Amino acid sequence: MVENERELVVRSMTWEADGVLSVTLTAPGGAPLPPWEPGAHLEIDLGKWVRQYSLCGAPGGTGSYRIAVLYEPDGRGGSAYVHEELRPGRTVRVRGPRNRFPLEDAPRYLFLAGGIGITPLLPMIAQAADGGVPWRLVYGGRSRDSMAFLPELARYGDAVTIVPEDSDGRPDLDALLGAPEPGTAVYCCGPEGLIAAVERRCEAWPHGSLHVERFAAARDQVLDGEDTAFEVECARSGVTVEVGAFETVMDALEQAGVQIPNACREGICGSCETPVLAGVADHRDGLLTDAEREAGATMMPCVSRCLSDRLVLDL
């Protein structure tokens, strides 16, 4: 078993909305679990699939972990397995918690959620409320029946605005974001259309105001380099491979027998993040900050490439 990996038991499963199941996980025998902070996720091995789900229970809770899964019958299979086959009493292998979406200290917060994107924001809201920090949530979805955790959010009163599309349309982003508010941290999670619209409106806001977590790669990801061939050396395993112009680093390494943990293969989950020992990475992920890209200390081999002739990775 790799570092920070453990077996957990499905203690309970609860319908939170139409098509949304929450899953509560505990350690066998009730042992305490590693603490976590808002924005953290678990990587869960579902047999044929490895998926990442945001923790959405009480911040820092060590007695159990809670995730929520949206049923996507036309998806890649992970959500269908959770809804159709996973049941209380089953055991799953998990890695984490890991946090690529931390809640940074700010004078006040604006939380924007779309659909299942409410999950990472729930513990952030709880922490802000417990700390007495001013905040507001605007939560959009197809209908109230499809929007999870509304009873939990009701206790916050007027700080929460629910916007079901079938009755109220979509959130008015121009009204929410049209005038920059220095000191306000904006946290957004949901469909790519929502995130892209929020990003456009936050271009005039102070740098670093907006924080997002994606479920899919950005459609307008800017690429630095061309899709040319290059060489990758794995320092620890001694394997060197040629990465073709039309294959990924991960694919080339897997064909050579070097396995890298991965969940999304789209550069949005961070499970394959790998230290770079030499060479210049062409970052094409949706996770690293500008400062992290400039430092060049790590890369996501599922999507990122190389701006030099050769990369040396800590694999």
Side-chain angles (χ1 to χ4, degrees):
M1 191 173 292
V2 301
E3 183 181 1
N4 209 21
E5 181 176 283
R6 58 187 51 82
E7 300 282 347
L8 297 183
V9 177
V10 178
R11 188 180 75 187
S12 63
M13 302 177 73
T14 304
W15 287 108
E16 305 293 351
D18 287 349
V20 180
L21 268 176
S22 66
V23 181
T24 300
L25 303 165
T26 59
L33 297 171
W36 57 279
E37 296 183 348
H41 64 257
L42 286 181
E43 185 174 290
I44 302 182
D45 189 337
L46 299 172
K48 295 180 181 179
W49 310 273
V50 177
R51 296 290 182 265
Q52 293 190 342
Y53 298 106
S54 298
L55 288 168
C56 58
T62 59
S64 64
Y65 292 151
R66 184 179 71 167
I67 62 171
V69 182
L70 172 66
Y71 184 45
E72 297 180 281
D74 298 324
R76 294 179 295 171
S79 73
Y81 174 84
V82 171
H83 278 251
E84 298 171 7
E85 299 187 44
L86 191 65
R87 294 295 180 266
R90 297 275 186 90
T91 299
V92 293
R93 179 169 293 183
V94 308
R95 286 179 287 274
R98 299 181 69 237
N99 199 342
R100 295 289 316 191
F101 191 43
L103 182 66
E104 298 182 1
D105 290 338
R108 57 190 170 274
Y109 299 101
L110 172 61
F111 299 108
L112 302 173
I116 197 64
I118 189 62
T119 51
L121 303 185
L122 277 179
M124 295 184 182
I125 290 167
Q127 180 166 301
D130 290 345
V133 182
W135 63 273
R136 179 184 179 191
L137 166 68
V138 178
Y139 177 16
R142 296 191 310 276
S143 66
R144 290 189 69 91
D145 290 343
S146 72
M147 299 171 73
F149 303 111
L150 294 186
E152 290 187 25
L153 291 168
R155 66 188 180 98
Y156 296 117
D158 293 341
V160 174
T161 302
I162 305 299
V163 189
E165 186 174 358
D166 62 349
S167 60
D168 299 342
R170 296 182 178 180
D172 187 346
L173 298 181
D174 289 329
L176 291 167
L177 302 169
E181 298 179 11
T184 296
V186 180
Y187 277 78
C188 178
C189 185
E192 176 57 28
L194 170 66
I195 293 177
V198 170
E199 286 178 328
R200 288 195 298 272
R201 288 164 175 81
C202 284
E203 288 177 354
W205 283 54
H207 180 72
S209 296
L210 177 61
H211 310 264
V212 304
E213 184 168 64
R214 285 184 152 86
F215 299 138
R219 291 190 293 264
D220 59 350
Q221 176 69 44
V222 177
L223 306 181
D224 291 329
E226 301 293 332
D227 289 338
T228 57
F230 55 93
E231 189 175 76
V232 171
E233 176 188 344
C234 300
R236 283 189 281 121
S237 63
V239 173
T240 298
V241 299
E242 181 81 6
V243 180
F246 301 105
E247 68 178 335
T248 68
V249 174
M250 181 173 286
D251 286 343
L253 291 177
E254 286 179 343
Q255 291 174 22
V258 179
Q259 299 299 315
I260 306 172
N262 66 87
C264 72
R265 303 182 85 99
E266 294 182 352
I268 59 171
C269 76
S271 60
C272 69
E273 187 171 3
T274 301
V276 177
L277 303 180
V280 181
D282 178 9
H283 297 290
R284 303 187 180 191
D285 63 276
L287 275 176
L288 295 179
T289 65
D290 291 342
E292 288 171 330
R293 292 176 181 225
E294 182 68 24
T298 66
M299 69 175 289
M300 310 298 170
C302 66
V303 293
S304 295
R305 301 186 64 78
C306 183
L307 293 175
S308 52
D309 294 331
R310 178 184 176 88
L311 280 175
V312 181
L313 303 179
D314 186 16
L315 291 170

